[in-house]
């Protein structure tokens, strides 16, 4: 069993209103990921395996980190994000809940969306809540069972779901966990005989410098 380090992608196109438009790193996102890679190298972090989702922002973040690893990055679609924009639009069309226009509205919107999704009250979604939870759990367990330390580049929703699985979070706590996760933040899971345990959440060692205080981002 191996330690698993989860990293959320760098800042993407936060002004987008659909999945395709959002799915690319901003200049800040590229820089955040490069700084994280430099931190890993300075700290002597060597990974036996590196994984990412197949989304563009995942692939670009893994490229910018350029982790010290003998093999190539393994792309796995099970590590992709939930389709937030499509679900939010369906939630609006079917239940009249407006799309959030700023972070404050997003904070109020996400718990409602997650609850409706889990209860099956959003029709036409490409993936059910249970299916998302299952694929995240299966992917993490498979990676944890591999040999050597693993780095996984993914998205905030998937990391939040990983925390739900590990910590048994309810829906409100899951939504709040997702809202807290910053771009290029580091999260660590330790395999134990009883399952995965969280040993680190939302760490930003590469941005914890006065000169980089304005370089942190959530969207």
């Amino acid at each position: 069993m191996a330690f698993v380090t989860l990293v959320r992608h760098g800042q993407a196109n936060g002004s987008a209103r659909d999945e395709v438009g959002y799915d690319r790193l901003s200049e800040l996102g590229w820089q955040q990921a490069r700084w994280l890679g430099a931190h890993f190298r300075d700290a002597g972090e060597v990974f036996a395996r590196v994984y990412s989702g197949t989304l563009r922002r995942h692939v670009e973040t893994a490229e910018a980190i350029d982790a010290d690893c003998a093999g190539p990055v393994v792309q796995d679609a099970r590590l992709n994000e939930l389709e937030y924009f499509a679900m939010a639009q369906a939630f609006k069309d079917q239940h009249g809940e407006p799309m959030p226009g700023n972070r404050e509205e997003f904070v109020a919107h996400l718990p409602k969306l997650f609850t409706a999704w889990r209860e099956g009250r959003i029709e036409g979604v490409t993936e059910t809540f249970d299916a998302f939870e299952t694929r995240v759990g299966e992917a993490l367990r498979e990676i944890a069972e591999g040999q050597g330390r693993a780095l996984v580049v993914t998205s905030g929703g998937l990391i939040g779901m990983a925390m739900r699985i590990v910590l048994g979070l309810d829906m409100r706590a899951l939504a709040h966990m997702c809202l807290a996760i910053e771009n290029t933040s580091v999260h660590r899971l330790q395999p134990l005989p009883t399952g995965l345990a969280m040993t680190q959440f939302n760490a930003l060692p590469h941005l914890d410098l006065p000169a980089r205080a304005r370089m942190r981002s959530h969207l």
Side-chain angles (χ1 to χ4, degrees):
M1 300 287 279
F3 283 88
V4 179
T5 298
L6 301 170
V7 171
R8 187 189 175 199
H9 61 79
Q11 184 192 59
N13 179 21
S15 63
R17 289 296 177 265
D18 59 50
E19 314 292 343
V20 175
Y22 179 72
D23 192 27
R24 66 175 186 274
L25 291 190
S26 66
E27 286 303 314
L28 175 58
W30 279 99
Q31 184 61 70
Q32 290 168 335
R34 293 189 192 102
W35 279 331
L36 179 56
H39 167 77
F40 282 152
R41 287 186 289 276
D42 290 345
E45 291 268 18
V46 178
F47 298 96
R49 299 162 292 139
V50 178
Y51 301 84
S52 82
T54 63
L55 300 177
R56 176 177 173 178
R57 60 190 182 273
H58 300 158
V59 174
E60 289 178 343
T61 300
E63 176 186 340
I65 291 173
D66 191 22
D68 190 351
C69 178
V73 177
V74 177
Q75 295 182 20
D76 188 336
R78 294 178 300 173
L79 301 172
N80 287 351
E81 180 65 293
L82 57 95
E83 293 190 1
Y84 168 76
F85 290 103
M87 283 200 297
Q89 185 61 55
F91 195 33
K92 176 184 176 182
D93 294 343
Q94 296 169 27
H95 299 281
E97 289 286 346
M99 296 274 284
N102 54 48
R103 178 163 174 77
E104 289 69 28
E105 293 176 1
F106 186 62
V107 168
H109 182 265
L110 196 61
K112 297 178 184 178
L113 177 68
F114 276 7
T115 299
W117 183 29
R118 187 189 184 197
E119 293 175 353
R121 293 189 287 110
I122 306 176
E123 297 180 2
V125 296
T126 58
E127 183 175 38
T128 66
F129 182 91
D130 289 345
F132 180 58
E133 185 171 29
T134 297
R135 74 164 160 97
V136 172
E138 289 177 348
L140 290 179
R141 283 189 289 272
E142 182 179 307
I143 291 170
E145 289 170 358
Q147 296 297 313
R149 295 158 61 90
L151 176 67
V152 177
V153 180
T154 182
S155 287
L158 188 138
I159 294 170
M161 179 57 77
M163 297 304 108
R164 168 180 162 82
I165 293 168
V166 170
L167 299 175
L169 302 178
D170 62 19
M171 296 308 296
R172 183 176 179 82
L174 167 61
H176 284 179
M177 189 74 80
C178 290
L179 290 165
I181 296 171
E182 299 187 46
N183 294 118
T184 61
S185 54
V186 179
H187 316 254
R188 287 203 162 123
L189 302 176
Q190 177 184 358
L192 298 174
T194 52
L196 293 171
M198 186 182 73
T199 60
Q200 189 174 57
F201 174 75
N202 213 32
L204 292 162
H206 56 304
L207 301 181
D208 283 341
L209 298 169
R212 298 178 185 174
R214 296 181 180 273
M215 301 302 178
R216 296 170 63 161
S217 60
H218 285 84
L219 301 177

